[in-house]
Amino acid sequence: MRILFTAAPGYGLMLPVVPLLWAARAAGHEILLATSSEMNEAGARAGLPVYDVFPDRDVWQDLMRGVVGGDEEELSEEYRRAAGAGNPFGLFTLTMTEGTIRAGRDFGADLVVHTSDHAAGRLAARALGVPALEVGNRVSWSLRDAEFLESHNTFDGGIETALQDKLGIPEGNPEIVARIDPRAPSMGGLKDDEPDSRDGVPWWSMRYVPFNGGSVVPEWALRKPERPRVCVTLGTVVPIVAGTSSLSVVVEALGGMDVEVVLAAGKTDLSDLGELPENVRSAGFLPLSSFLPSCSLIVHHGGSGTTAAPLHYGVPQLVLPAFADNPMSAQRVVDRGVGLSHDPSTVDVAMVRESVRRLLDEPAFTSAARDVAAEMATQPSPSAVVARVEAAL
């Protein structure tokens, strides 16, 4: 088959589907990733053929400028209307749908695989007249969740309707092979296959396999540390939107504890943190999967991929949820007993130290995290899902 994979242009939105892309290619299928902005380079670095569906502008940077109050004169009226809908995914739908259809047509796609939060892929499958596979990319929610469906408008219907008229896309959904839920059953995922209550489309379970990018792994990351190793990260979006104030508190708190800290801050400007404590190693960009197996704890913002990766490795978590679905990720962590959570706006040094001590000293957290890791290992792999799609078609 020739399979077009589509995803929105954010690290946490695209990277979770990379293992499924690899699995499809390893099974002998021709693949193409349709995305935009920074994910063009990220996909290429992951060894994937990538098509830029919106090369005229960097839609992700336009979104970030709008979120943090940048110069709106740089954004078109359509951009401002889409961003003002309170749903950034409407902006992705507006800008990426036409290019995704073009990519699928030129590629000769037999199947479109799209993430649940990326309507451009679903619309493209409908326009091309080919089946679709919908893949969940969140540990926090799935479109299986009735409560989520009632309280969230994942796709902006007004934008979709306008695009259907403009591009001549037939009404309705494409033929959907299945919908994928990547969550462990005890974290809200599937226990058994089940039909969707909305339309009877089957839901399939799939194991979450972490992919955070590639890099040269430093020697220290492979060695067992002499004292507990604690990973600290705020992802790629939080420092831009919310700043590094909570990071300063965390670093100060951990600097006074008998732990080894790995600060994975990517390109974030850390000058506001001042001189780092002697037990804090600033690693810049380093994929979590390269050193999480050696960690005893991770402190993070609640991003979906950042929450799911330590679950895979059985590592407890302290979550300081920022925005979007971060609080939902944090709540699942707390409910399952694999970690603790606290509002980042009221976090202080004493609270961080108390939480870290609990997570390191109370065995129940590590035990629960390892139970979830074992549970995830029993879920069908991405390769198994590809084989199942082959059989279904």
Side-chain angles (χ1 to χ4, degrees):
M1 283 189 294
R2 300 180 73 82
I3 308 176
L4 179 71
F5 286 79
T6 70
Y11 284 97
L13 307 175
M14 190 279 282
L15 295 189
V17 298
V18 169
L20 189 61
L21 277 142
W22 285 341
R25 189 69 186 98
H29 301 290
E30 296 298 321
I31 62 170
L32 180 67
L33 173 62
T35 188
S36 192
S37 302
E38 279 190 271
M39 292 308 97
N40 294 321
E41 184 180 351
R45 288 199 307 266
L48 305 171
V50 184
Y51 184 94
D52 187 350
V53 302
F54 192 66
D56 296 336
R57 295 185 67 100
D58 187 330
V59 64
W60 182 262
Q61 289 303 318
D62 283 345
L63 175 67
M64 289 296 100
R65 277 195 293 268
V67 169
V68 300
D71 183 3
E72 292 191 0
E73 292 302 317
E74 295 183 11
L75 306 180
S76 71
E77 181 180 349
E78 279 189 314
Y79 267 49
R80 291 197 298 273
R81 188 167 64 248
N87 176 6
F89 296 99
L91 181 61
F92 302 148
T93 304
L94 173 72
T95 56
M96 299 177 69
T97 298
E98 186 172 6
T100 301
I101 294 171
R102 183 170 57 250
R105 186 171 288 126
D106 292 346
F107 179 58
D110 302 306
L111 172 71
V112 173
V113 179
H114 68 89
T115 53
S116 294
D117 54 20
H118 194 49
R122 174 168 50 81
L123 290 169
R126 183 62 174 153
L128 297 169
V130 300
L133 177 72
E134 178 185 309
V135 181
N137 56 348
R138 309 295 182 93
V139 74
S140 55
W141 59 265
S142 160
L143 293 183
R144 283 178 52 242
D145 303 340
E147 182 179 350
F148 182 85
L149 287 170
E150 291 173 1
S151 58
H152 292 76
N153 176 21
T154 306
F155 306 122
D156 187 290
I159 290 174
E160 288 191 37
T161 301
L163 282 170
Q164 286 175 312
D165 293 341
K166 175 184 176 182
L167 303 176
I169 303 171
E171 293 183 1
N173 287 321
E175 174 194 349
I176 304 174
V177 179
R179 296 186 175 103
I180 305 299
D181 191 337
R183 302 173 298 177
S186 67
M187 299 289 290
L190 285 166
K191 294 181 174 64
D192 300 295
D193 289 1
E194 61 182 50
D196 196 304
S197 60
R198 297 167 293 172
D199 53 16
V201 170
W203 278 94
W204 297 347
S205 175
M206 183 178 76
R207 182 188 317 163
Y208 180 89
V209 177
F211 174 73
N212 324 110
S215 73
V216 177
V217 179
E219 182 183 0
W220 61 261
L222 302 180
R223 294 196 305 263
K224 184 177 180 179
E226 296 180 356
R227 49 186 174 174
R229 179 173 286 162
V230 179
C231 168
V232 177
T233 182
L234 289 184
T236 56
V237 178
V238 172
I240 297 173
V241 176
T244 59
S245 58
S246 62
L247 187 61
S248 299
V249 174
V250 170
V251 168
E252 180 183 351
L254 293 174
M257 301 183 70
D258 187 23
V259 295
E260 175 191 316
V261 181
V262 179
L263 179 56
K267 300 176 182 178
T268 301
D269 181 1
L270 302 178
S271 57
D272 288 345
L273 302 185
E275 184 177 353
L276 296 176
E278 62 84 21
N279 64 335
V280 176
R281 183 194 305 271
S282 180
F285 172 77
L286 189 63
L288 298 181
S289 52
S290 67
F291 68 97
L292 260 184
S294 67
C295 289
S296 300
L297 173 65
I298 179 171
V299 182
H300 65 92
H301 59 295
S304 190
T306 312
T307 304
L311 293 175
H312 176 85
Y313 294 109
V315 177
Q317 313 180 32
L318 172 58
V319 188
L320 307 175
F323 46 75
D325 64 344
N326 297 171
M328 287 187 280
S329 296
Q331 191 60 53
R332 291 205 180 275
V333 165
V334 172
D335 290 347
R336 185 58 181 85
V338 298
L340 298 171
S341 175
H342 197 280
D343 183 347
S345 66
T346 60
V347 71
D348 57 34
V349 169
M351 170 266 143
V352 171
R353 288 178 179 170
E354 178 185 1
S355 297
V356 168
R357 290 190 187 100
R358 284 193 62 195
L359 291 164
L360 293 177
D361 296 342
E362 297 179 22
F365 293 107
T366 298
S367 178
R370 290 175 178 172
D371 286 346
V372 173
E375 182 184 11
M376 292 170 69
T378 67
Q379 294 177 266
S381 68
S383 296
V385 168
V386 170
R388 194 170 184 182
V389 171
E390 293 170 351
L393 293 176

